[in-house]
Amino acid sequence: MVIFPEHRYYGESMPFGSREEAYKNAFTLAYLTSEQALADFAVLITELKRNASAQSCPVILFGGSYGGMLATWMRLKYPHLSIGALAASAPILQFENIVSPDTFYNIVSNNFRRESVSCFNTIRESWDVIMSLGMTNTGLSLLSKTFHLCGELKSAEDLSNWLDSAYSYLAMADYPYPADFLMPLPGNPIKEVCRRMDSLPNGTNILQRIFEGISVYYNYTGTVNCFSLDDDPHGMSGWDWQACTEMIMPMASNKNTSMFPAFEYDYKSDEEYCYKSYHVTPRPTWITTEFGGHDIKTALGTFGSNIIFSNGLLDPWSGGSVLENISDTIVALVTERGAHHLDLRAATAEDPDWLVDQRASEVKLIEGWLNRYLESKRVNFLPLQSV
């Protein structure tokens, strides 16, 4: 049996009767936490097994990204409810500067630079052009026209954030074949972005190159006539609340290595944004208090077992995950060309050999967990005279 439980406050799983009521204020959103989600899944597993008279049936957890984090934490929080977990692209170390805050943007930048140095430089140089034009109404109007926005641009920062999101998502979804995980995209989408930017004639201005490239992400199908920067195509409003309360993941951009504007992580800025948006104060140390993270080798090596951390190094979240084996039963499977939880996507005829091999390794490890569990049950239930 395969079960896909839906996380509270996402999709159709809305408390208080509707999405409008659930997202009304900090009081109604207070029940949107990783702790509550894990408790939901714990109750679900327990009740399903009881109703099916299958209390001894082994459970394997699978999750990608935040779901992979939850799968890991559930093995620690509720070890009696499952026998193992596959945690794909799970950045459980992206907290409290356990890893360098500039790791995420460095990986995104390296992905673009790997495809084309000129593409990397075009993006890197574009930010100053955008900010300069954004200082005047005339410049804002020009940016609105160049990027085919549905309305007038209010600030250059809004456009920069829109572009930032696209580059980051392109790195996450840099799959070797066409996919629509985030948006409809071609195979190797960063390669296509850079091809479009670089193939324009000499003399093409930098903003036109950026628009041609970014259209691969926002309009690869060619069906979008204009873009609204206020759209939430990925349903991130719930995550915005979680990022303001518990999922505090410091980010920075290094001027020497990143194609993004340089900035340091600023907790005070996050605090001001979260209070203005929700009247809450972020808890930057809560996740590591609740689930750990510091000295992860000792913590998981001592208290954990049967977890596969799978990562592709093209994925910017891989820098915050576990990339080395911790014990015989807590294993890291790392691929150089993999992107965001690619191994959890459905198998296709276009899968490269390294992906097929990665999945085979995962299956072998999980089969071992199941065999050992079932063998222990068989031994425990042998008649006394046969032992």
Side-chain angles (χ1 to χ4, degrees):
M1 179 186 295
V2 178
I3 300 170
F4 288 86
E6 189 170 69
H7 193 298
R8 57 169 60 200
Y9 287 82
Y10 292 93
E12 298 180 8
S13 300
M14 293 292 165
F16 301 103
S18 69
R19 187 186 188 285
E20 290 70 25
E21 284 298 313
Y23 279 77
K24 190 174 183 178
N25 53 44
F27 174 79
T28 56
L29 280 166
Y31 302 95
L32 172 50
T33 69
S34 56
E35 299 162 86
Q36 294 278 3
L38 291 180
D40 288 342
F41 300 151
V43 170
L44 176 64
I45 291 171
T46 302
E47 291 302 314
L48 280 173
K49 293 175 75 171
R50 181 180 295 120
N51 292 340
S53 297
Q55 284 90 338
S56 296
C57 183
V59 173
I60 306 291
L61 308 171
F62 294 83
S65 196
Y66 172 48
M69 299 163 81
L70 292 176
T72 302
W73 294 335
M74 194 156 189
R75 282 292 295 148
L76 295 173
K77 194 78 172 176
Y78 300 96
H80 57 293
L81 294 182
S82 68
I83 67 166
L86 171 55
S89 301
I92 62 169
L93 306 180
Q94 196 79 42
F95 299 93
E96 283 192 79
N97 294 334
I98 297 173
V99 297
S100 176
D102 60 14
T103 300
F104 181 94
Y105 282 115
N106 279 345
I107 294 175
V108 176
S109 299
N110 287 338
N111 290 352
F112 279 84
R113 180 162 38 205
R114 184 183 297 110
E115 294 297 345
S116 165
V117 173
S118 61
C119 175
F120 171 92
N121 287 333
T122 296
I123 295 170
R124 192 176 195 178
E125 294 164 8
S126 69
W127 307 107
D128 285 344
V129 176
I130 291 170
M131 294 307 294
S132 178
L133 285 171
M135 296 176 68
T136 67
N137 289 333
T138 301
L140 288 171
S141 293
L142 177 61
L143 290 171
S144 299
K145 182 178 179 180
T146 301
F147 286 92
H148 296 201
L149 304 184
C150 299
E152 283 298 310
L153 186 65
K154 296 178 182 178
S155 74
E157 184 178 8
D158 290 344
L159 178 60
S160 293
N161 290 339
W162 186 69
L163 296 172
D164 177 313
S165 294
Y167 300 138
S168 299
Y169 285 134
L170 281 161
M172 291 168 59
D174 199 16
Y175 299 142
Y177 50 74
D180 59 358
F181 162 50
L182 293 167
M183 292 285 202
L185 292 173
N188 302 300
I190 290 180
K191 183 186 290 291
E192 177 63 13
V193 168
C194 290
R195 186 194 68 78
R196 291 195 185 189
M197 285 188 184
D198 292 345
S199 63
L200 291 174
N202 291 336
T204 302
N205 71 64
I206 193 169
L207 295 182
Q208 189 58 45
R209 291 184 187 278
I210 293 296
F211 175 73
E212 288 298 321
I214 212 69
S215 293
V216 172
Y217 183 74
Y218 284 117
N219 193 22
Y220 185 66
T221 61
T223 58
V224 180
N225 295 320
C226 67
F227 303 101
S228 174
L229 305 190
D230 296 329
D231 284 349
D232 180 21
H234 309 311
M236 296 298 289
S237 53
W239 186 254
D240 192 56
W241 161 264
Q242 289 187 263
C244 270
T245 51
E246 57 175 358
M247 307 299 289
I248 317 303
M249 308 170 98
M251 295 284 179
S253 176
N254 187 309
K255 67 178 181 180
N256 297 317
T257 56
S258 174
M259 68 181 191
F260 296 88
F263 68 92
E264 298 292 331
Y265 175 63
D266 182 4
Y267 170 77
K268 191 66 177 178
S269 176
D270 280 356
E271 186 178 50
E272 291 172 355
Y273 168 80
C274 293
Y275 189 80
K276 180 180 179 181
S277 301
Y278 302 107
H279 293 285
V280 296
T281 300
R283 298 179 294 169
T285 64
W286 178 244
I287 288 294
T288 56
T289 301
E290 178 75 359
F291 303 115
H294 298 285
D295 193 12
I296 194 68
K297 289 184 177 181
T298 298
L300 287 181
T302 303
F303 303 107
S305 67
N306 291 4
I307 303 174
I308 301 169
F309 290 101
S310 65
N311 283 278
L313 297 183
L314 296 183
D315 178 18
W317 292 112
S318 66
S321 187
V322 175
L323 301 178
E324 298 179 353
N325 292 351
I326 290 178
S327 70
D328 291 342
T329 63
I330 300 182
V331 179
L333 297 180
V334 180
T335 59
E336 290 187 8
R337 302 299 296 177
H340 202 51
H341 52 59
L342 176 58
D343 51 323
L344 291 188
R345 295 185 59 80
T348 74
E350 300 171 274
D351 289 341
D353 289 343
W354 56 261
L355 178 56
V356 174
D357 291 343
Q358 179 188 7
R359 289 186 179 131
S361 296
E362 293 169 355
V363 169
K364 184 176 180 180
L365 287 166
I366 293 170
E367 285 179 340
W369 300 342
L370 290 168
N371 289 337
R372 286 190 293 273
Y373 173 82
L374 294 174
E375 178 63 19
S376 70
K377 290 296 182 183
R378 188 188 71 80
V379 170
N380 288 339
F381 283 99
L382 283 174
L384 288 176
Q385 62 268 25
S386 300
V387 177

